[in-house]
Amino acid sequence: MAGHFEPTGDGGAAIALDEVEISILRSLAVQLLELIGPGSEPADPPPQEAGTSGATGGGSMEEELAGIEAVSWPPFAEGPSEPPADPVLARLFPDAYGPGPDAAPAEDLEPGSGEAARAKQDRAAAAEFRRYTENDLRAHKREAGLAVVRALDGLTPGERGAVLTLTPEQSQQWLGALNDLRLAIGTRLEVSDDSDDELYRLPDTDERKPMVMAYLWLGGLQETLVETLLPGTGTD
């Protein structure tokens, strides 16, 4: 998959995609939308690997998208106060305060210690922040994912695929969605800073290979889109 984003000259971006690439991108975006959902947990267990097939089974694309778009939150509703249990959602919606996911569990801290007191304060601050911000963040991520699906559904691939052209606003939405997709897949793969070489060396027989290929491809798309949107790119 050698396609890459190029500047359009008006602040947007364009890329040539074949039918397989369009199908994979759409399937991944739909699975992400279903995972994000309206609540603190997905309605069903999240997908375990990225593939080329549709994410929701039967029904037309119009019905599928209408069902996803229909999900909404009551106005001014408070969100959850606890982080999601699903590791992908926890990565997409991390605590705003605290030492991070690799820190020692609170129950391991010495009761009455300064560290325990700080941890308690951080948990309270994180819960309060999450309660008033997570729904908005979910809505923002859902809108970005929907922008990806809508743009792909608007293409009419020919023998050589189709050229996707994005406005500046759509480009920013795609950038956010591509980042979320990479975070989701990277979390499932348990990717770390020093695991890139291992990912490239996986044999074709490894069951993780399809997810790894999607992860690396999305990384290339994200990188070229960032380069395309840099100030001065594509201008005379």
Side-chain angles (χ1 to χ4, degrees):
M1 299 178 181
H4 58 274
F5 283 98
E6 296 180 356
T8 57
D10 61 356
I15 185 173
L17 299 169
D18 62 32
E19 288 192 68
V20 173
E21 292 168 334
I22 293 170
S23 175
I24 291 174
L25 273 173
R26 190 185 191 283
S27 176
L28 291 173
V30 168
Q31 290 180 68
L32 182 65
L33 286 167
E34 292 177 334
L35 179 61
I36 290 173
S40 59
E41 299 295 337
D44 299 301
Q48 294 301 310
E49 62 182 59
T52 59
S53 61
T56 58
S60 67
M61 287 186 178
E62 291 77 9
E63 292 172 339
E64 170 193 52
L65 191 57
I68 292 174
E69 290 179 315
V71 176
S72 61
W73 293 264
F76 309 114
E78 291 185 5
S81 59
E82 295 296 323
D86 183 273
V88 171
L89 289 175
R91 185 69 179 86
L92 293 175
F93 305 102
D95 275 336
Y97 303 94
D102 297 328
E107 56 268 22
D108 292 345
L109 301 177
E110 183 180 351
S113 66
E115 189 177 10
R118 286 192 297 272
K120 183 177 180 180
Q121 291 174 347
D122 285 341
R123 288 197 301 274
E128 190 73 0
F129 187 85
R130 182 181 295 277
R131 182 179 295 115
Y132 293 108
T133 62
E134 184 170 307
N135 281 353
D136 286 343
L137 183 56
R138 282 179 181 266
H140 178 76
K141 290 182 180 295
R142 283 179 56 78
E143 190 57 39
L146 284 169
V148 170
V149 176
R150 293 189 192 108
L152 295 173
D153 285 352
L155 297 177
T156 306
E159 292 184 2
R160 298 184 179 180
V163 174
L164 173 70
T165 302
L166 304 175
T167 65
E169 180 183 3
Q170 288 174 321
S171 298
Q172 292 296 333
Q173 290 176 312
W174 269 69
L175 193 58
L178 289 174
N179 184 63
D180 287 344
L181 285 170
R182 288 196 77 237
L183 285 176
I185 296 176
T187 301
R188 288 283 185 252
L189 291 171
E190 299 182 343
V191 172
S192 62
D193 293 338
D194 55 358
S195 63
D196 280 354
D197 290 342
E198 178 187 350
L199 295 180
Y200 280 105
R201 294 196 301 268
L202 282 181
D204 292 341
T205 54
D206 194 300
E207 62 181 10
R208 297 171 295 169
K209 191 62 175 283
M211 288 180 69
V212 168
M213 294 299 293
Y215 177 78
L216 297 175
W217 176 51
L218 291 169
L221 293 182
Q222 184 181 10
E223 182 178 356
T224 61
L225 184 53
V226 169
E227 293 172 351
T228 295
L229 299 178
L230 290 174
T233 304
T235 59
D236 294 330

